[in-house]
Amino acid sequence: DIDNATYYVEYDPSSDTFTARDQAYYTSFSIESALDSQTTTLKQLGLAYLEIPFAYGQKFETRFGGLSLGGAIKIMPGRTYDFSRAIDTESGDVTEDLEDYEVSGTAWGGDAGVLFTPSQAEDLSLGLVLKNINTPEFDLLNGGSIEIEPQVRLGIAYEMMDDRLTLALDADLTGNDVLIPNYQAQYVGGGVNYHPVDWFSLRGGLMKNIQQSDEGTVLTAGLAIGSKWFQIDIAGQYSLETGEFDGKDVPRYGRVQLAFLSKW
């Protein structure tokens, strides 16, 4: 602001040059203008839900091997969040007032699966799972909704050491939409599961999103304790690639899951 007149100048670091700009250009392209007027915001869209499944499966013996068919109906209580913040909001303030933008609800979902064990290779198992067949839906505060798209996953497992060690490979056959626009998840992975006794098992492995590269390789681990009547299962996933949040390096992908299982 010189002599009561305002001048706008754009600096290009690649060419080390300055270019005169007008008010309209400054308003449309300046980060400073966006911060001052709060015309550019940080969109926060989230979904947290639980799955309470009721499943049933049946095994059939055929001339080619064992064929198991199963399915599950899931009750899915969840919460959605949908609001915007100014892009200069402090990291610690991003999650403030979540309750003001929260919508609670319950959806239901359906899963189905098939498992085949060839008669000529009884230690080998081939499986196919279809999750969320009915596309469960959760309402948003603004009147919209978040849909959980169906997923199809293929898996192969091989038993060793008198069924105490299992080697497994699995892969998503479809790209799965997530809450981030224009971002898909399609994972392939593998690992081992060691279960020396009936009441204890330990597993670990690797997986990777073949649709996106920013997550890098993801380490996976799990622990299960208990009888088949009641079992506690804890699992975690941790990306080797990191990003920065609130001045700290954090994994670009992380997940922890706790499940209580009962089989009869």
Side-chain angles (χ1 to χ4, degrees), residues 147-168:
E147 294 182 344
I148 302 179
E149 299 290 338
Q151 301 176 3
V152 183
R153 193 168 184 85
L154 175 68
I156 302 174
Y158 188 78
E159 300 284 352
M160 303 174 61
M161 297 173 55
D162 295 328
D163 295 340
R164 292 195 299 270
L165 183 68
T166 304
L167 306 180

Side-chain angles (χ1 to χ4, degrees), residues 210-222:
I210 61 176
Q211 290 282 353
Q212 308 288 338
S213 60
D214 57 343
E215 295 174 359
T217 301
V218 178
L219 304 180
T220 64

Side-chain angles (χ1 to χ4, degrees), residues 9 53 80 86 107 117 122 129 132 136 140 184 203 206 226 244 256 258:
V9 178
T80 61
T117 303
E122 295 184 352
V129 175
N132 303 312
L140 293 169
Q184 281 202 324
R203 61 188 183 273
L206 304 170
E244 185 175 314
V256 177
L258 174 65

Side-chain angles (χ1 to χ4, degrees), residues 32-246:
E32 183 179 3
S33 175
L35 292 174
D36 291 340
S37 61
Q38 295 190 1
T39 56
T40 301
T41 58
L42 174 67
K43 176 73 169 178
Q44 294 181 257
L45 179 65
L47 169 63
Y49 66 91
L50 299 175
E51 292 186 355
I52 306 173
F54 298 89
Y56 177 79
Q58 180 67 48
K59 184 176 182 180
F60 303 92
E61 295 296 338
T62 73
R63 58 180 296 186
F64 304 105
L67 180 65
S68 298
L69 303 176
I73 299 296
K74 304 180 296 186
I75 301 173
M76 304 169 67
R79 297 178 179 180
T80 61
Y81 308 89
D82 183 18
F83 60 100
S84 298
R85 289 272 191 177
I87 60 175
D88 61 341
T89 302
E90 293 290 336
S91 298
D93 297 333
V94 169
T95 56
E96 284 188 354
D97 305 323
L98 280 179
E99 293 182 358
D100 295 337
Y101 303 94
E102 175 186 302
V103 175
S104 299
T106 302
W108 69 276
D111 299 342
V114 56
L115 181 69
F116 178 65
T117 303
S119 57
Q120 301 300 318
E122 295 184 352
D123 292 327
L124 179 67
S125 299
L126 307 173
L128 184 70
V129 175
L130 289 78
K131 294 192 63 178
N132 303 312
I133 301 171
N134 61 313
T135 312
E137 186 174 334
F138 293 88
D139 293 332
L140 293 169
L141 185 64
N142 63 7
S145 63
I146 296 177
E147 294 182 344
I148 302 179
E149 299 290 338
Q151 301 176 3
V152 183
R153 193 168 184 85
L154 175 68
I156 302 174
Y158 188 78
E159 300 284 352
M160 303 174 61
M161 297 173 55
D162 295 328
D163 295 340
R164 292 195 299 270
L165 183 68
T166 304
L167 306 180
L169 295 172
D170 53 24
D172 289 326
L173 300 185
T174 57
N176 306 309
D177 292 328
V178 297
L179 298 183
I180 303 174
N182 303 316
Y183 192 100
Q184 281 202 324
Q186 186 174 4
Y187 289 97
V188 296
V192 297
N193 182 31
Y194 180 58
H195 38 100
V197 291
D198 292 340
W199 56 269
F200 175 81
S201 69
L202 182 66
R203 61 188 183 273
L206 304 170
M207 71 179 193
K208 188 175 182 63
N209 185 355
I210 61 176
Q211 290 282 353
Q212 308 288 338
S213 60
D214 57 343
E215 295 174 359
T217 301
V218 178
L219 304 180
T220 64
L223 172 70
I225 300 175
S227 68
K228 71 173 185 176
W229 304 109
F230 182 78
Q231 188 176 84
I232 299 174
D233 190 290
I234 304 173
Q237 300 170 352
Y238 187 96
S239 172
L240 295 180
E241 293 291 333
T242 61
E244 185 175 314
F245 178 78
D246 199 19

